[in-house]
Amino acid sequence: MQVFKEKATLQKAVRAIKSKGKSLGLVPTMGALHKGHISLVENAEKDCDEVVVSIFVNPTQFDNPEDLKKYPRSLENDLKLLKDSQKELIIFAPNPEELYGDKIASEQFDFEGLEKVMEGKYRTGHFDGVGTVVKLLFEAVKPDRAFFGEKDFQQLQIIRKLTQKAGLPVEIVGCPILREENGLARSSRNERLSTEEREKAAFIYETLLKVKRLFGIKSAASINSWVEKEFKKCSFLKLEYFEIADIQTLKKINKKEKGHKYRAFVAAYAGDVRLIDNMALNN
Ligand code: PAF
């Protein structure tokens, strides 16, 4: 495993790979790696000759400076986890100045409304920060393919829009959500839940499974109010939003239309831990 902190040395290694005609995959992460990230790496290893994993806690995507300060940084542990990978991975772990230069700030993007709904309503400027860092990482690494988890489905669609609008020559690959045994979507935040909370948080997944069943027979509007009532009965979780949305526009729907694909999206708090999840409703 090679670990690069500087763009110039990373790019030298990338040029050597490309000169041999090999394909390059990128798995962007903010560290605090768990099995969900490892499954992204495995997908990249299957699809590409060589794989870069970036580990970078991106300051511009945090709307709250306290969250940025508290974000777990565990490079040594992350490297241990990545050691057992199938391929000799390349790790890119720059500091903020190395990646951003002097100006650590977000570019302003127009993602055609994708950034305004759901997470975008609750996390001001978040997707500008994500777009900025992903673009910088693509420029530094020049991957043929980049791998993102469907757990952050809104982020995935926004990155697809970013590459399409900016004409970036990289294929975006969405990877399925990895779940704990009880169905809870894997996330670094799960570590902050007690064992009991972690068990109870499976309620989110169980509700999404019921929504999927109901979707075939009930209207979107009636499912919305059913979900709100279910969450009200569950004293342990506080629902922030539930939406059934078109996967292309991410706009909330009230009526299903033929030929469109939909997903259900949830954000809920377990104490002060914010959990998100989503599920495809018609594959
Ligand atoms: O999903 C994440 O971990 C981050 O938003 C990403 C894509 C690595 C950008 O910082």
Side-chain angles (χ1 to χ4, degrees):
M1 190 157 66
Q2 303 179 77
V3 182
F4 295 101
K5 299 220 168 212
E6 284 157 15
K7 270 192 277 188
T9 44
L10 167 83
Q11 282 164 348
K12 199 169 161 213
V14 165
R15 278 198 297 276
I17 290 168
K18 300 234 161 168
S19 70
K20 290 182 198 141
K22 289 183 172 180
S23 62
L24 185 64
L26 170 66
V27 180
T29 81
M30 296 213 298
L33 301 183
H34 53 72
K35 287 188 180 156
H37 296 108
I38 300 303
S39 87
L40 295 180
V41 173
E42 286 167 356
N43 276 294
E45 285 178 321
K46 264 185 236 141
D47 265 23
C48 304
D49 297 321
E50 302 282 349
V51 176
V52 175
V53 178
S54 64
I55 298 179
F56 178 70
V57 180
N58 175 34
T60 62
Q61 72 188 76
F62 287 82
D63 49 353
N64 177 346
E66 270 312 297
D67 287 348
L68 171 61
K69 237 199 241 164
K70 279 197 284 185
Y71 199 86
R73 287 153 173 93
S74 50
L75 185 60
E76 254 179 55
N77 264 346
D78 292 342
L79 296 181
K80 266 191 215 147
L81 260 179
L82 294 170
K83 255 200 178 129
D84 296 332
S85 301
Q86 258 184 302
K87 292 193 196 279
E88 262 308 284
L89 298 174
I90 297 169
I91 312 301
F92 181 42
N95 65 32
E97 290 73 23
E98 178 65 20
L99 193 63
Y100 276 86
D102 301 338
K103 200 170 157 245
I104 302 177
S106 289
E107 195 179 325
Q108 309 294 302
F109 293 98
D110 173 7
F111 296 120
E112 297 176 0
L114 297 180
E115 75 280 27
K116 302 235 161 74
V117 295
M118 298 189 286
E119 293 301 290
K121 270 198 221 159
Y122 296 91
R123 304 176 71 186
T124 321
H126 171 71
F127 288 119
D128 280 334
V130 171
T132 305
V133 78
V134 167
K135 213 170 142 202
L136 288 170
L137 287 168
F138 286 177
E139 279 159 14
V141 181
K142 300 200 169 38
D144 299 296
R145 283 177 218 126
F147 297 77
F148 296 88
E150 287 184 344
K151 173 166 167 289
D152 296 301
F153 192 83
Q154 185 173 8
Q155 168 174 280
L156 171 65
Q157 295 300 65
I158 282 175
I159 290 165
R160 286 195 167 121
K161 183 66 75 187
L162 167 78
T163 48
Q164 177 207 325
K165 285 188 83 168
L168 305 175
V170 48
E171 181 192 337
I172 305 302
V173 184
C175 304
I177 299 174
L178 204 76
R179 298 184 178 279
E180 301 197 357
E181 265 167 39
N182 66 3
L184 176 64
R186 292 216 181 246
S187 161
S188 318
R189 293 171 189 222
N190 297 355
E191 298 304 319
R192 291 168 53 203
L193 300 171
S194 67
T195 313
E196 194 194 346
E197 286 173 330
R198 216 155 159 154
E199 269 317 304
K200 284 188 176 165
F203 178 88
I204 299 174
Y205 175 64
E206 287 155 11
T207 307
L208 284 172
L209 282 178
K210 287 180 193 157
V211 165
K212 189 173 172 111
R213 265 178 253 132
L214 288 174
F215 191 71
I217 46 174
K218 297 269 183 203
S219 71
S222 73
I223 297 173
N224 279 332
S225 48
W226 177 78
V227 169
E228 277 166 22
K229 276 189 212 135
E230 288 299 294
F231 269 88
K232 276 197 185 121
K233 282 192 249 163
C234 170
S235 56
F236 159 73
L237 287 164
K238 191 166 170 290
L239 183 65
E240 187 164 65
Y241 64 76
F242 170 79
E243 297 198 2
I244 293 177
D246 185 300
I247 64 161
Q248 294 306 333
T249 61
L250 298 182
K251 281 203 180 117
K252 182 174 179 162
I253 59 148
N254 286 312
K255 231 173 121 217
K256 306 169 216 170
E257 279 178 60
K258 261 205 175 150
H260 288 237
K261 296 233 181 294
Y262 302 105
R263 272 189 182 244
F265 296 85
V266 176
Y269 278 93
D272 66 346
V273 183
R274 189 169 183 277
L275 300 169
I276 61 168
D277 201 350
N278 69 83
M279 189 176 281
L281 298 179
N282 55 344
N283 300 319

